[in-house]
Amino acid sequence: MSPAAAAGTAPVETAEAGSVRREATRTPDEALLALERLHHRWKGKSPVLEDVSLTLHPGEVTWIGGRNGVGKTTLLRLAAGILLPQRGSVRMGDLAPTAKGGCYQRRIGFLSAGDRGLHARMRVRQQLDYWARLAYVPRAGRAEQVAATLRYFELEELAEQRVDRMSMGQRQRIRLAMAFLHRPRVLLLDEPRNSLDDDGYRLLGEQIERVAAAGATVLWCSPRGEDRVLACDVGYTLEHGRLEREQ
């Protein structure tokens, strides 16, 4: 997972726990992220995305479900600016993924599926501090931001332990903490429930609500049959390259 995919400098004001998330604004003029008529085909294969459009608004939580291999990860990677569209466009306000200096990517928090992005020999706090530097979190207040993120994901007691001594569930919490750490405007989460126990899933839901209450937008994907406990404003199914909105 590249630093550009998950780093960001546009801070979101944090909301107090338990605050009520305002209704997401759904007018195109206030869209936070707009994906327009995306098309993507891997060489020698049928298109995984065909004419896919999706608009994400401040404070909105969106879920996409679908079978393995239908293109959910491809869609997230396009939204994150890791892949560039073969056809169509991706915009965050006036910014495109090709903006100079990674200005677009630094406003994204990205969690890839799997177990990437961790340095086995680092201690947990070192890992988050290292990531904060890659994400251009200002030096003033960086330690406090790392400490707050450890607290949000209940990693404080593990902060001085090495990453390679963590369980899979604990490692997933660390990776989630990295995605949330720099207060991104847009959070893109690929199968975030992987390896999480009930406490980890609860924490994930709480943090999604917290950042959405502060005006960020969240898009997360999971297998179609997975129990969808996390609250969302809008749900879609991706099938045969097209998005279908759930009723």
Side-chain angles (χ1 to χ4, degrees):
M1 182 167 50
S2 71
T9 54
V12 177
E13 294 299 325
T14 56
E16 293 298 325
S19 62
V20 177
R21 177 151 47 89
R22 66 177 178 79
E23 285 295 317
T25 305
R26 290 182 171 81
T27 58
D29 289 344
E30 294 190 26
L32 190 50
L33 183 65
L35 315 179
E36 296 289 342
R37 308 194 70 174
L38 294 180
H39 178 96
H40 195 88
R41 178 198 296 268
W42 296 108
K43 187 176 181 180
K45 296 186 178 181
S46 300
V48 292
L49 300 174
E50 294 188 83
D51 201 30
V52 169
S53 295
L54 180 64
T55 304
L56 305 177
H57 301 87
E60 189 172 68
V61 180
T62 302
W63 170 79
I64 296 177
R67 296 175 293 106
N68 290 333
V70 298
K72 302 187 301 297
T73 296
T74 300
L75 181 60
L76 287 183
R77 289 170 67 85
L78 286 165
I82 299 170
L83 292 176
L84 295 180
Q86 295 171 343
R87 192 163 70 232
S89 66
V90 177
R91 305 286 302 184
M92 188 189 304
D94 294 332
L95 286 176
T98 53
K100 292 183 179 179
C103 293
Y104 177 94
Q105 287 82 1
R106 289 201 297 269
R107 289 163 171 79
I108 299 285
F110 182 76
L111 175 80
S112 63
D115 191 28
R116 301 183 225 171
L118 298 177
H119 294 266
R121 295 181 179 275
M122 283 188 176
R123 301 183 188 277
V124 175
R125 190 188 304 276
Q126 288 177 314
Q127 173 74 55
L128 294 189
D129 182 72
Y130 172 71
W131 193 258
R133 294 166 189 263
L134 292 180
Y136 297 97
V137 174
R139 182 174 181 178
R142 185 187 298 152
E144 290 79 5
Q145 202 159 321
V146 168
T149 305
L150 288 168
R151 184 174 69 254
Y152 290 146
F153 287 93
E154 296 185 2
L155 292 166
E156 292 169 295
E157 293 185 1
L158 303 174
E160 306 310 324
Q161 295 187 35
R162 277 178 34 161
V163 169
D164 60 359
R165 294 174 183 169
M166 301 294 101
S167 69
M168 290 301 294
Q170 290 166 338
R171 290 166 69 92
Q172 182 73 344
R173 286 197 200 186
I174 297 167
R175 296 178 69 248
L176 283 164
M178 291 162 59
F180 282 75
L181 172 62
H182 55 285
R183 300 173 182 168
R185 297 293 291 141
V186 177
L187 267 162
L188 305 171
L189 308 176
D190 195 1
E191 301 190 14
R193 191 178 185 178
N194 279 355
S195 302
L196 291 180
D197 58 14
D198 289 344
D199 282 342
Y201 202 37
R202 170 186 56 80
L203 289 169
L204 173 60
E206 290 174 357
Q207 296 314 307
I208 286 177
E209 286 294 316
R210 178 181 64 83
V211 299
T217 189
V218 181
L219 173 61
W220 62 282
C221 295
S222 68
R224 189 173 184 177
E226 182 176 281
D227 182 24
R228 179 156 57 94
V229 177
L230 298 178
C232 68
D233 300 298
V234 188
Y236 294 89
T237 297
L238 183 59
E239 190 74 28
H240 304 302
R242 299 184 182 275
L243 276 180
E244 296 291 338
R245 182 164 176 164
E246 292 194 336
Q247 300 299 321

